[in-house]
Amino acid sequence: RLPFYRDQLGLVLAALFPERQAAFFWLGPPGHTMLGLWGTGPGPQTMSLHTAFRVSLKDILGAPAALEAAGIQALDFDGAPTREPVVLAWMPAAAVYFRDPDGHMIEYIAMLPEEPRPGRGVVRWSEW
């Protein structure tokens, strides 16, 4: 799974421990935040995780095109393909989702300065 995080998402590899089936990537500048990945082994058990990364609104707005350019399908809140972010009105926050090669849901999220509008639910950016 290293090529996905390194080559497609562009994360910087911090450390690799093949004997432990572990890899660590920097998220942002080295020394601040790190993503650790571990192999699950050969068993039939699987795990599906959801991880959200705070990014700028500019990055959120460009994420669908950037993901597509990297060969990754951008998804909306319901997991359908999308070309624009969604807004989680109860926060409010703009978000774009995608899956890694193991099926884990990754979210890019940016808080918005507006007041929450919980009654709006989840809407497309163009409807916000």
Side-chain angles (χ1 to χ4, degrees), residues 51-93:
T51 304
F53 297 103
R54 185 175 110 190
V55 300
S56 71
L57 181 57
K58 179 182 174 185
D59 288 339
I60 288 286
L61 296 175
L67 290 168
E68 182 179 350
I72 302 167
Q73 178 65 65
L75 304 171
D76 66 13
F77 183 78
D78 295 317
T82 189
R83 292 189 172 273
E84 67 178 313
V86 296
V87 175
L88 311 168
W90 67 271
M91 292 184 176

Side-chain angles (χ1 to χ4, degrees), residues 11-73:
L11 299 182
V12 175
L13 183 65
L16 179 63
F17 300 96
E19 70 281 2
R20 293 190 206 156
Q21 295 185 39
F24 297 90
F25 289 90
W26 292 118
L27 301 175
H32 291 270
T33 305
M34 187 176 286
L35 172 67
L37 304 172
W38 287 267
T40 57
Q45 294 80 16
T46 61
M47 182 183 301
S48 179
L49 303 174
H50 171 204
T51 304
F53 297 103
R54 185 175 110 190
V55 300
S56 71
L57 181 57
K58 179 182 174 185
D59 288 339
I60 288 286
L61 296 175
L67 290 168
E68 182 179 350
I72 302 167
Q73 178 65 65

